Amino acid sequence: MAAVTLSKTAASSVIDLEDVSIGYGSDAPPVLVDVNLSIERGSFVAIVGPSGVGKSTLLRVVAGLHTARSGGVTIHQDKRPGHRPVGLVFQDSRLLPWRRVIRNVEFGLEGLPVGRDERRQRAEAALKLVRLDGYARRWPYELSGGQRQRVGIARAMAVDPDILLMDEPFGALDAITRHNLQDELRRIHQETGKTVLFVTHDLEEAVHLADRIIVLGGTPARVVRDVRNSAGRDGSVFRDQVEQLRSEIADNYSI
Ligand SMILES: Nc1ncnc2c1ncn2[C@@H]1O[C@H](COP(=O)(O)OP(=O)(O)OP(=O)(O)O)[C@@H](O)[C@H]1O
């Protein structure tokens, strides 16, 4: 079994996966094999692939929520006290209904060596980052779905993570809200310089957001494509990028 190693070396990569194999239970066949990836600090990386291929599983391993069967998983941490290496955002915001918005954002900071005043300041700054500074005293039930996801992002950002891990965070939202939040996420990425690892099955979303797109495919799954997407943010080539990726993924569906 290969747990996540937290390293304090000043590497340009923030996550390194070496020959990683992942499965559930000891007898079942592996879900993912031969995963070798190096994720650069500050990059925005999307993971795409067909349903059930292992996208969330890969994210769970990086998050330390599931242990790889073999191989090396290293997160190169900054040496800041009072932070966590990863911040997590899921499709469902997973807010605690009995806590006001500000106390939900503070939740991830509890257990860290951070005093009450700093905890409050960091939570307020995170709410400002997601443009919800007027909502601190609200209850989760008083928010829209998009606002709840913003609170989820604020909670993840409040721990000042090395990596923001996002598992289909906008998958349950209507199209307009989704587009708004995609734009907000791009802004947050630009403003904070955080590394983002973003799982989606929506290729347009991947091309719109990410500067690198990793395609998983096959049974067991492997990395079948690793695409640099610098052109994807230029509207004129957006369609071409999406269509090219769509055909590449379609090829890999049949592996
Ligand atoms: N807790 C678990 N126990 C056993 N098998 C699991 C568990 N979680 C996921 N799996 C299996 O691992 C494989 C990958 O699942 P995973 O959720 O990572 O896929 P995914 O690519 O994220 O799918 P989707 O796009 O549908 O969310 C699937 O075959 C799934 O059935």
Side-chain angles (χ1 to χ4, degrees), residues 161-182:
D162 291 282
I163 315 152
L164 186 59
L165 297 175
M166 308 186 87
D167 195 350
E168 304 236 17
F170 310 142
L173 302 174
D174 65 84
I176 292 172
T177 308
R178 187 162 63 239
H179 285 133
N180 284 339
L181 278 179
Q182 286 169 349

Side-chain angles (χ1 to χ4, degrees), residues 24 31 49-58 167-168 199 201:
Y24 291 95
V31 173
S51 177
V53 76
K55 303 182 292 295
S56 299
T57 297
L58 186 60
D167 195 350
E168 304 236 17
V199 163
H201 63 266

